[in-house]
């Protein structure tokens, strides 16, 4: 059984620093505003935090700082999106509610890890 099967603290899957911009809210296009974000994949959610300098993967714990925003991954879609930016290593995450985010890293291997880890969570939720 998973660590969350008792309804307790959700499992922390991954945490790290990515560049982030929201490009749509409820299907309505937004102006890009790239900024570094501390991104945490925990349970069924991708959670974004400001102030990444105070965070490290080993020290982060659910509940010890206030998220900037959070994304429900159930029904979400991931796509590589280098066509949507002048930056390299970019993917787009679209939620069922029509919120769209671009996430980016200068490190190709790192962004590929994030892509496949998030896709695994989406696939798991699709099977539930
Ligand atoms: C935007 C800014 C973004 C850029 C975007 C620009 O200009 O330079 O970084 O996105 O390009 O419009 P501004 O700061 O004046 O809003 P990328 O870095 O992802 O290319 P876009 O309009 O082609 O998306």
């Amino acid at each position: 059984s998973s660590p969350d099967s008792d309804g307790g603290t959700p499992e922390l899957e991954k945490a790290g620093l990515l560049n982030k911009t929201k490009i749509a809210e409820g299907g309505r296009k937004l102006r890009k505003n790239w900024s570094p974000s501390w991104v945490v994949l925990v349970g069924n959610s991708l959670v974004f935090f400001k102030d990444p300098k105070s965070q490290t993967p080993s020290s982060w714990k659910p509940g010890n700082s206030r998220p900037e925003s959070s994304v429900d991954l159930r029904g979400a879609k991931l796509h590589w999106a280098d066509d949507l930016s002048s930056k390299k290593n970019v993917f787009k995450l679209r939620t069922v509610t029509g919120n769209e985010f671009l996430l980016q890293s200068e490190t190709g291997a790192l962004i590929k890890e994030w892509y496949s880890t998030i896709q695994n969570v989406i696939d798991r939720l699709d099977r539930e």
Side-chain angles (χ1 to χ4, degrees), residues 31-32 34 84-87:
R31 184 169 179 178
K32 275 181 184 164
W34 285 103
L84 295 182
S85 176
S86 60
K87 302 180 194 305

Side-chain angles (χ1 to χ4, degrees), residues 28-46:
R28 198 172 56 86
K29 199 166 179 281
L30 297 176
R31 184 169 179 178
K32 275 181 184 164
N33 182 19
W34 285 103
S35 61
S37 181
W38 184 254
V39 183
V40 177
L41 181 57
V42 60
N44 304 342
S45 297
L46 200 61

Side-chain angles (χ1 to χ4, degrees), residues 62-79:
N64 76 349
S65 67
R66 183 192 297 272
E68 183 186 16
S69 62
S70 153
V71 168
D72 182 0
L73 292 175
R74 193 179 294 275
K77 303 283 186 204
L78 269 193
H79 297 283

Side-chain angles (χ1 to χ4, degrees), residues 22 24 28-29 33 55 59 68 78 80 113 120:
K22 193 174 187 179
R28 198 172 56 86
K29 199 166 179 281
N33 182 19
Q55 312 278 350
S59 73
E68 183 186 16
L78 269 193
W80 289 110
E113 268 184 34
N120 285 344

Side-chain angles (χ1 to χ4, degrees), residues 3 9-16 38-43 45 49 56-62 114 117:
T9 305
E11 188 173 4
L12 174 58
E13 308 231 19
K14 194 168 177 60
W38 184 254
V39 183
V40 177
L41 181 57
V42 60
S45 297
F49 293 83
T56 64
S58 55
S59 73
W60 190 89
K61 296 202 176 45
W114 272 101
T117 307

